[in-house]
């Protein structure tokens, strides 16, 4: 808990691994036992509250956001004052016990609402980069760290990536949406009624239905959880694809995020539009990593359709991650 309120903005870490043995990579990281995952999460300062999986990957809703475990990839994002980067070395160690080798890493986050409340190594982006440089293998030679600014808003996008090879465009792209100043009426949907007689799972399912989150991607199987007295998280599974939403609804520091991965022919823009409509935010930032330019333009178009004005579009290139396009939108003139 931050001094003035809860930090909604997540820190996100993606680790990719490879093996010379195809039979190893069929199961890969999914062979990690739950006790090992719990130990890593304890170092980060969060726990598992709900879980769901299919033949492609395992999904965990955390007390502070989400974890996805694929055979050759881990995605973990945590909010609040968690120490996400302390998971880097343990994940690498456990992967090595499974004969898996780290080949790429990407760390991203927005601008913290309460930066002074963050513990080491998250006290600044400079400190985070130094920590990453000290805790990843030297052979990840294609490295870059950058802060992508936003014109006219306080939102900035922080990116560190490293890999053994330059980026290849035959992988899914990632869309990360951060929303602040949520509509107060819509945000109230994410508060629980006192003594409602429900647990986190049943209350979460109610919130998913009431808000229309279940309609963002009707093909997804949703694992959701409602916190007490307020807050909400969900992971969606659609084949080998994931989506996730996290909500901190309190007035004064309200925040919601939506994230998904996509392929070129997907209409991810429509999912982004539906997600933004659920929350009615005052400010939206969208970071797309390695998406085609027309995908970014479609996202811009659908967000403008619901009454928001584009304020900024900044582009940066990362040798191990590809192109990052960072767009910001607001409801009112700044």
């Amino acid at each position: 808990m931050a001094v003035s309120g809860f930090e909604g903005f997540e820190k996100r870490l993606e680790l990719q691994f490879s093996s010379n043995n195809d039979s190893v990579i069929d199961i890969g990281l999914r062979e990690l036992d739950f006790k090992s995952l719990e130990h890593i999460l304890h170092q980060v300062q969060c726990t598992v509250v709900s879980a769901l999986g299919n033949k492609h990957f395992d999904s965990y809703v955390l007390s502070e956001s989400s974890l996805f475990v694929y055979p050759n990839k881990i995605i973990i994002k945590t909010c609040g004052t968690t120490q996400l980067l302390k998971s880097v070395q343990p994940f690498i160690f456990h992967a090595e016990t499974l004969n898996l080798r780290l080949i790429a890493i990407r760390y991203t986050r927005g601008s913290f609402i309460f930066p002074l409340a963050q513990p080491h190594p998250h006290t600044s982006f400079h400190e985070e980069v130094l920590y990453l440089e000290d805790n990843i293998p030297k052979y990840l030679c294609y490295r870059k760290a950058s802060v992508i600014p936003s014109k006219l808003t306080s939102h900035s996008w922080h990116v560190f990536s490293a890999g053994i090879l330059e980026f290849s465009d035959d992988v899914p792209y990632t869309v990360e949406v951060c929303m602040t100043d949520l509509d107060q009426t819509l945000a109230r949907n994410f508060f629980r009624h006192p003594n409602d007689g429900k647990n986190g799972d049943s209350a979460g399912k109610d919130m998913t239905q009431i808000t229309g989150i279940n309609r963002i991607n009707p093909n997804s199987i949703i694992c959701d959880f409602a916190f007490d007295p307020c807050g909400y998280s969900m992971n969606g599974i659609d084949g080998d694809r994931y989506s996730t939403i996290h909500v901190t609804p309190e007035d004064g520091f309200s925040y919601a995020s939506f994230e998904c991965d996509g392929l070129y022919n997907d209409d991810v823009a429509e999912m982004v539009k539906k997600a933004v409509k659920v929350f009615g935010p005052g400010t939206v930032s969208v970071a797309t990593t390695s998406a085609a330019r027309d995908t970014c333009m479609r996202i811009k178009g659908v967000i403008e359709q619901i009454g928001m004005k584009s304020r900024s579009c900044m582009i940066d290139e990362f040798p191990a991650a590809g192109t990052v396009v960072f767009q910001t939108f607001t409801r009112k003139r700044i």
Side-chain angles (χ1 to χ4, degrees):
M1 181 67 71
V3 174
S4 301
F6 187 81
E7 179 61 68
F9 273 93
E10 297 100 345
K11 316 162 183 89
R12 181 188 187 275
L13 180 69
E14 181 171 333
L15 303 162
Q16 295 186 23
F17 298 85
S18 71
S19 173
N20 294 324
N21 187 335
D22 289 340
S23 63
V24 169
I25 209 67
D26 286 344
I27 301 175
L29 296 161
R30 299 184 74 183
E31 195 174 334
L32 285 176
D33 60 272
F34 187 67
K35 186 176 180 180
S36 296
L37 289 177
E38 279 189 313
H39 181 69
I40 297 172
L41 295 174
H42 178 74
Q43 295 179 65
V44 173
Q45 298 179 328
C46 59
T47 59
V48 173
V49 297
S50 192
L52 183 67
N54 64 8
K55 67 179 183 180
H56 299 286
F57 67 101
D58 298 314
S59 154
Y60 301 90
V61 176
L62 306 178
S63 57
E64 318 281 343
S65 298
S66 293
L67 168 67
F68 300 97
V69 181
Y70 287 79
N72 65 338
K73 179 172 64 177
I74 286 174
I75 299 168
I76 178 171
K77 57 191 300 181
T78 62
C79 54
T81 54
T82 50
Q83 295 169 286
L84 175 65
L85 293 184
K86 288 190 174 181
S87 68
V88 172
Q89 275 287 344
F91 276 131
I92 294 174
F93 169 78
H94 284 289
E96 287 175 345
T97 67
L98 300 172
N99 296 313
L100 293 167
R101 176 176 181 247
L102 183 68
I103 59 170
I105 182 172
R106 175 157 49 101
Y107 173 68
T108 58
R109 68 167 175 84
S111 298
F112 293 131
I113 301 172
F114 307 109
L116 297 180
Q118 291 297 316
H120 174 78
H122 299 285
T123 51
S124 69
F125 186 56
H126 176 71
E127 191 71 22
E128 291 170 322
V129 172
L130 289 177
Y131 187 90
L132 283 163
E133 294 278 9
D134 287 341
N135 285 276
I136 62 174
K138 300 300 181 186
Y139 61 76
L140 298 178
C141 55
Y142 291 97
R143 303 184 181 197
K144 181 176 177 178
S146 181
V147 179
I148 307 174
S150 166
K151 298 176 181 177
L152 302 179
T153 77
S154 60
H155 289 208
S156 295
W157 198 242
H158 305 67
V159 183
F160 172 88
S161 69
I164 63 170
L165 299 171
E166 291 191 272
F167 174 75
S168 171
D169 60 4
D170 60 351
V171 297
Y173 62 83
T174 305
V175 180
E176 299 172 71
V177 183
C178 302
M179 297 168 271
T180 56
D181 187 22
L182 310 184
D183 177 274
Q184 291 185 353
T185 300
L186 296 176
R188 278 199 286 271
N189 290 322
F190 299 97
F191 283 82
R192 294 192 41 189
H193 297 292
N195 304 313
D196 59 10
K198 300 174 183 176
N199 60 26
D201 294 310
S202 59
K205 284 178 172 50
D206 287 347
M207 290 180 184
T208 298
Q209 297 288 329
I210 291 168
T211 60
I213 286 174
N214 59 315
R215 295 190 292 275
I216 293 174
N217 178 6
N219 296 323
S220 281
I221 301 171
I222 291 176
C223 180
D224 37 26
F225 193 88
F227 297 91
D228 192 11
C230 64
Y232 168 91
S233 289
M234 84 83 171
N235 291 340
I237 292 180
D238 180 7
D240 62 350
R241 315 276 293 289
Y242 75 90
S243 61
T244 185
I245 287 175
H246 304 284
V247 188
T248 301
E250 295 96 322
D251 290 348
F253 50 93
S254 60
Y255 171 84
S257 66
F258 171 72
E259 178 182 330
C260 66
D261 61 347
L263 297 171
Y264 181 74
N265 292 325
D266 296 334
D267 201 356
V268 166
E270 279 300 314
M271 287 197 287
V272 171
K273 176 182 176 180
K274 292 175 185 176
V276 173
K277 287 180 72 174
V278 167
F279 301 104
T283 301
V284 177
S285 65
V286 183
T288 52
T289 301
S290 304
R293 190 64 57 89
D294 61 339
T295 299
C296 301
M297 293 307 297
R298 287 201 303 273
I299 290 173
K300 175 179 181 290
V302 297
I303 294 179
E304 289 180 329
Q305 286 174 13
I306 55 178
M308 304 204 76
K309 183 175 178 61
S310 175
R311 296 296 186 180
S312 179
C313 180
M314 308 294 285
I315 301 172
D316 205 346
E317 300 286 342
F318 294 81
T323 303
V324 176
V325 179
F326 182 59
Q327 302 179 78
T328 53
F329 306 83
T330 64
R331 283 201 176 278
K332 47 195 175 186
R333 195 159 196 85
I334 295 179

